[in-house]
Amino acid sequence: MNTLEANLDAAEATNAQLRKHLNPRWYPTFHIAAPAGWINDPNGLSYFQGRYQVFFQHYPADSSWGTMHWGHVTSPDLVHFSRAPIALAPSIEEDRDGVFSGSAVTGPDGNLEVFYTGHRWRNGRNEDDGNIQVQCRATSQDGVHFSKHGTVVEAPEALAHFRDPKVFYHEGTWFMVFGTCSADNRGQVHLYHSADLKDWQFDQVIFQDPDPNVFMLECPDLFPLATPQGAQHWVLTYCPMGKKKTGYLYRNDHTAGYVVGDWAPGRAFTARTEFTMQDFGNEFYAPQSFATPDGRRVQFGWMGSFTVPAAPQLDGDGWFGQLTIPRELTLTENLRLDSAPIAEFTGLRAPGPAGDHAPFFQADSITVEPNHTVEIADDAGPCELELTLDRAQSTAVRAGVLVHHTAPGRGTYIACDEQSGRLVVDRRTTGGPDLGYRAAELSGGKLRLRIFIDRGSVEVFGHDEGGASTVLSSYSFPADGPRAITLLAESGTAVLRDVTAYSLDTIWSK
Ligand code: FRU
């Protein structure tokens, strides 16, 4: 048995111990999470040998961040998933202190080619004396068992942060982008190119965040997308470290967003837009995308936090961190990046009595009287709720839905706030530990909402007639007791149309 195999076995054994004590009260049923322990960034998203491959940053021994491994799940359809063994563990000098984030592509010889950051603390313990980060390569013939090939891109001595390779193929060449902190402390994206995935040459610095507070860009992802009118652009998603919290923007300790612009081999990226947040919820970070065989751009993000302790960690539940549901990315005419649940996600709707995907609640129209509530479920499991708020017919100052509604007054409130013109996710009364709310701007007209309610999270997709689409993804850890879903109108009426709720099956194949 080689060192990698031995370390993977040890990681599996530790994780099996932790799994015995897993508390399921907030554990997701339709989001990817580790069987126990911690996960962060999605890694290596790809389609290989007929299955979708989703890897993720994983610490198998605890519910907090630790020495990084790559966890692994696969799916035939992006909706139903099976667990695979932990794919990568530290086993060579370059990744001594962690197998950090990266990506995967199918190589010319049909192997799965993985690129990741080998991480070392310079002092062997923590970041106080800096990091040594290099880009490494590993390959697999079956997508399950990997051989490591060591460093393909060395770290320049001066750079403290140098990580998260995202590899893609374009016009006959392989390209790799990753994030760095420059010698003068600016967040940059570096580009390398290769003919064979083995030898990599520095190409150029293709982007520097114009914000001088931003000192590092984590998890950059560069991909082409066309507008509905057929204009071809390139989208650069990244996570700027050091962004200042301001007004409604960048409230999370870690922010993810994008710029849309143009890029071609041999050139730098030229931005046509400012940096824009992609998701306005409390937990959305380190997104990664890939192209599906039918040409869609699909993205997963990480819901979690490095800095704000969460209830499953504080209460010893044995796990923390989940990925978002898969989202299809599209570009609008005015160069906004929209995200929507992938179409096939409706396949998770649980069959009703007739065997089809019947809703457990359906109403064409509901008027909620001023300062009244209408309960649509007294104890809902994981589900999807759809409704349209007819804002022109409503007079409520705020109107929406309380989910994870436990004791009277406790729950997560998803509401349209007419005074601020924003869609709000407010978890002040949910059950903790992190309070506060997040709010995203709406344009106008009827507001269509799709809300995905798992045991410990909400993902809210809003679409309004003004054309804006708005996403907020947040943890929501309900207090004990039945978890109702309740419509609410404050200081006025709320007119709701096409209110439909579906139970959602688990993503895990039996
Ligand atoms: C982003 C990140 C990456 C790094 C990984 C380590 O969340 O900090 O930059 O590769 O997580 O787990």
Side-chain angles (χ1 to χ4, degrees):
M1 188 183 281
N2 65 35
T3 314
L4 177 58
E5 286 163 359
N7 293 355
L8 288 170
D9 276 3
E12 292 288 359
T14 319
N15 194 249
Q17 285 303 320
L18 197 58
R19 225 172 297 161
K20 288 186 187 153
H21 307 288
L22 189 104
N23 188 327
R25 61 189 149 177
W26 300 309
Y27 187 81
T29 66
F30 63 85
H31 290 88
I32 293 168
W38 160 278
I39 82 171
N40 53 297
D41 316 353
N43 292 154
L45 303 179
S46 49
Y47 185 75
F48 180 68
Q49 292 181 354
R51 288 183 78 85
Y52 293 96
Q53 313 288 326
V54 177
F55 301 86
F56 48 84
Q57 291 283 278
H58 177 37
Y59 185 47
D62 197 3
S63 59
S64 53
W65 189 87
T67 307
M68 281 293 115
H69 296 56
W70 275 33
H72 188 194
V73 298
T74 71
S75 168
D77 57 6
L78 274 179
V79 178
H80 301 95
F81 285 86
S82 308
R83 295 196 184 279
I86 298 173
L88 293 169
S91 64
I92 56 177
E93 175 56 20
E94 289 99 314
D95 60 25
R96 180 188 72 198
D97 297 322
V99 181
F100 273 18
S101 282
S103 53
V105 292
T106 303
D109 53 5
N111 291 340
L112 189 64
E113 298 259 351
V114 155
F115 296 88
Y116 67 92
T117 299
H119 169 73
R120 273 168 284 179
W121 310 117
R122 205 171 278 282
N123 63 14
R125 291 186 311 280
N126 56 36
E127 207 160 37
D128 291 355
D129 300 315
N131 306 312
I132 308 171
Q133 298 185 327
V134 295
Q135 316 319 337
C136 298
R137 172 171 172 255
T139 54
S140 173
Q141 287 178 355
D142 61 3
V144 179
H145 305 94
F146 286 85
S147 308
K148 290 186 182 174
H149 307 291
T151 303
V152 290
V153 177
E154 291 284 356
E157 192 56 31
L159 302 191
H161 302 280
F162 195 76
R163 60 177 175 270
D164 307 338
K166 178 78 196 308
V167 171
F168 60 95
Y169 190 68
H170 183 63
E171 294 180 354
T173 303
W174 295 99
F175 291 96
M176 176 193 289
V177 286
F178 53 86
T180 71
C181 171
S182 71
D184 58 350
N185 240 22
R186 300 292 297 263
Q188 297 183 334
V189 177
H190 286 203
L191 179 75
Y192 281 64
H193 62 252
S194 170
D196 61 2
L197 292 169
K198 294 174 190 147
D199 293 319
W200 289 88
Q201 276 85 44
F202 175 68
D203 194 301
Q204 55 185 296
V205 176
I206 55 159
F207 180 73
Q208 173 169 294
D209 193 309
D211 182 344
N213 294 313
V214 170
F215 62 88
M216 165 65 182
L217 309 183
E218 292 192 309
C219 301
D221 189 1
L222 181 66
F223 52 88
L225 266 190
T227 65
Q229 290 69 33
Q232 279 288 344
H233 294 289
W234 285 77
V235 179
L236 178 64
T237 62
Y238 64 92
C239 302
M241 296 177 82
K243 204 96 190 136
K244 293 272 174 285
K245 295 175 199 265
T246 156
Y248 287 103
L249 299 178
Y250 323 129
R251 297 311 314 181
N252 301 342
D253 290 349
H254 289 79
T255 291
Y258 66 94
V259 286
V260 180
D262 299 307
W263 175 76
R267 302 232 179 118
F269 176 86
T270 45
R272 284 174 175 256
T273 69
E274 308 224 301
F275 177 77
T276 309
M277 285 170 68
Q278 215 193 310
D279 184 308
F280 286 77
N282 298 70
E283 281 89 20
F284 180 79
Y285 198 63
Q288 184 178 102
S289 75
F290 73 113
T292 56
D294 62 2
R296 287 174 298 165
R297 182 55 57 174
V298 171
Q299 182 194 59
F300 287 83
W302 167 48
M303 294 180 69
S305 171
F306 293 115
T307 49
V308 184
Q313 296 172 302
L314 295 170
D315 297 351
D317 284 12
W319 72 279
F320 182 57
Q322 69 183 35
L323 303 189
T324 62
I325 63 173
R327 298 160 179 200
E328 182 179 353
L329 302 180
T330 50
L331 198 58
T332 67
E333 185 179 0
N334 56 0
L335 304 190
R336 218 192 35 242
L337 186 64
D338 271 3
S339 4
I342 54 165
E344 50 269 59
F345 215 72
T346 54
L348 267 197
R349 292 174 180 174
D356 54 353
H357 296 306
F360 67 79
F361 181 90
Q362 209 283 322
D364 291 343
S365 181
I366 299 176
T367 300
V368 187
E369 298 301 331
N371 307 311
H372 278 65
T373 56
V374 172
E375 187 177 270
I376 66 170
D378 57 6
D379 187 12
C383 63
E384 177 192 347
L385 173 66
E386 297 191 352
L387 56 88
T388 297
L389 175 64
D390 192 335
R391 295 169 72 189
Q393 300 298 313
S394 303
T395 57
V397 67
R398 274 197 307 187
V401 56
L402 271 162
V403 307
H404 288 160
H405 185 201
T406 52
R410 297 197 76 168
T412 294
Y413 188 28
I414 298 157
C416 175
D417 181 343
E418 289 297 350
Q419 295 188 123
S420 66
R422 281 171 191 269
L423 178 60
V424 172
V425 173
D426 185 345
R427 47 185 199 185
R428 184 166 46 96
T429 64
T430 310
D434 190 38
L435 310 180
Y437 70 98
R438 294 291 185 270
E441 199 170 1
L442 295 169
S443 44
K446 290 192 180 107
L447 173 64
R448 182 78 183 152
L449 292 177
R450 282 183 81 183
I451 305 173
F452 293 85
I453 307 162
D454 208 335
R455 286 190 194 143
S457 65
V458 293
E459 274 168 278
V460 182
F461 294 85
H463 206 88
D464 66 31
E465 278 179 328
S469 88
T470 319
V471 190
L472 296 104
S473 304
S474 292
Y475 274 115
S476 168
F477 302 119
D480 290 343
R483 300 170 180 183
I485 298 178
T486 310
L487 304 172
L488 170 62
E490 296 178 71
S491 280
T493 51
V495 178
L496 302 162
R497 315 232 182 252
D498 300 322
V499 183
T500 314
Y502 299 89
S503 292
L504 293 184
D505 278 337
T506 175
I507 55 171
W508 300 113
S509 297
K510 282 141 201 136

